[in-house]
Amino acid sequence: MDLHTHTASTGQCTRPLRRAVALALLLTLLWAAPAHSHPHAWIDLQVSAVFNDEGHITQLRQAWLMDPFYSTFLLDDMAQDASGDTQEEQLDSIARQIIKNLRDYHYFTEIHHGDTAIQDARAENPRLVQKQRRLELSFTLSFEQPLDPADAPLKYAVFDPTYFIEILHAESGGIHLEGGSERCDMDLRIPRPDPAMVARAAMLDFDQQGDPNMGKHFAERVTIECSR
């Protein structure tokens, strides 16, 4: 899926540790993998869980740092429709359009409070900035009701459903508990997709869209839990 349409994609980075499992499976299964296998873009993700004074989580702030090649493609494709006189205004215009395009996909973010799916989070304050050759999209997902991680763990995963884009937490400082107490713990579970799913993804060409449920098999999953 592409961020500028109602399909999806992201940015490229060197992620040797986090991608070791997937790469090993690919090399094992496909000695000569297709040149245009999924994913086609990469994003380095940073997420801050924001706590209020009662110890409840009210927001998930996200920053998506896209790879240089996809950053260039996105700018070239969306700049002609951007509004504003300055570069900053045009980038903010593109950020708003991206967020609008992602609305029907819950902003690529799956959230649960215990066993309850949270689907009423609203995206606020979208912003797009250039960091050398890369674009970074930031926005805040605010919950209608604060979620108490002492009552039930908060779980989230950020992924492109079609796996056009691979989204992984940044290796340094990818997750923050903003305002959380020392009684809170965070656990990140690295994906271990079935080899058959890895093979299916590797066979998809650039212009082919993956199964809408493919991306969840490659998603990192985070659990935040607090004690009283």
Side-chain angles (χ1 to χ4, degrees):
M1 173 174 176
D2 231 319
L3 296 181
H4 68 297
T5 64
H6 289 284
T7 44
S9 77
T10 58
Q12 177 177 11
C13 347
T14 302
R15 302 294 302 273
L17 296 178
R18 292 285 172 82
R19 294 179 182 140
V21 173
L23 287 175
L25 287 170
L26 279 172
L27 289 174
T28 301
L29 292 169
L30 304 164
W31 178 254
H36 297 294
S37 59
H38 275 42
H40 298 290
W42 290 263
I43 287 176
D44 272 342
L45 173 68
Q46 291 194 36
V47 176
S48 293
V50 181
F51 290 72
N52 63 15
D53 292 339
E54 286 72 42
H56 301 170
I57 300 175
T58 61
Q59 298 174 325
L60 289 182
R61 292 179 183 160
Q62 300 191 32
W64 299 5
L65 185 60
M66 307 174 195
D67 74 72
F69 298 104
Y70 190 69
S71 295
T72 299
F73 167 75
L74 192 65
L75 275 182
D76 289 346
D77 191 74
M78 299 190 73
Q80 57 186 348
D81 297 321
S83 60
D85 298 324
T86 67
Q87 183 185 45
E88 182 177 356
E89 290 172 342
Q90 292 173 356
L91 288 174
D92 284 343
S93 173
I94 294 173
R96 290 192 296 272
Q97 184 60 48
I98 292 173
I99 290 299
K100 179 181 178 182
N101 292 345
L102 292 175
R103 184 182 304 153
D104 290 341
Y105 303 93
H106 302 290
Y107 312 102
F108 284 2
T109 307
E110 180 184 279
I111 305 170
H112 285 82
H113 185 219
D115 295 328
T116 303
I118 305 300
Q119 297 183 326
D120 60 1
R122 63 187 186 277
E124 301 173 329
N125 304 319
R127 189 161 183 255
L128 193 65
V129 298
Q130 281 189 287
K131 294 189 172 182
Q132 297 181 339
R133 297 175 54 235
R134 303 174 69 179
L135 291 177
E136 183 178 75
L137 173 71
S138 60
F139 61 95
T140 299
L141 287 183
S142 297
F143 305 136
E144 290 293 333
Q145 298 294 330
L147 305 176
D148 187 352
D151 284 344
L154 183 141
K155 303 175 184 179
Y156 77 81
V158 182
F159 59 93
D160 168 13
T162 67
Y163 197 49
F164 188 100
I165 305 164
E166 182 175 70
I167 306 175
L168 297 175
H169 290 82
E171 291 186 5
S172 177
I175 307 172
H176 304 270
L177 304 183
E178 188 174 320
S181 73
E182 65 278 359
R183 296 190 301 273
C184 297
D185 293 317
M186 179 276 299
D187 177 68
L188 183 151
R189 181 169 296 181
I190 296 174
R192 301 191 182 279
D194 185 274
M197 183 62 64
V198 176
R200 284 177 57 191
M203 295 303 294
L204 291 170
D205 208 336
F206 186 88
D207 58 353
Q208 293 179 300
Q209 186 165 307
D211 184 312
N213 293 313
M214 178 175 287
K216 70 180 182 181
H217 297 281
F218 298 87
E220 293 181 327
R221 298 188 177 274
V222 173
T223 300
I224 300 171
E225 193 167 11
C226 303
S227 58
R228 296 194 186 281

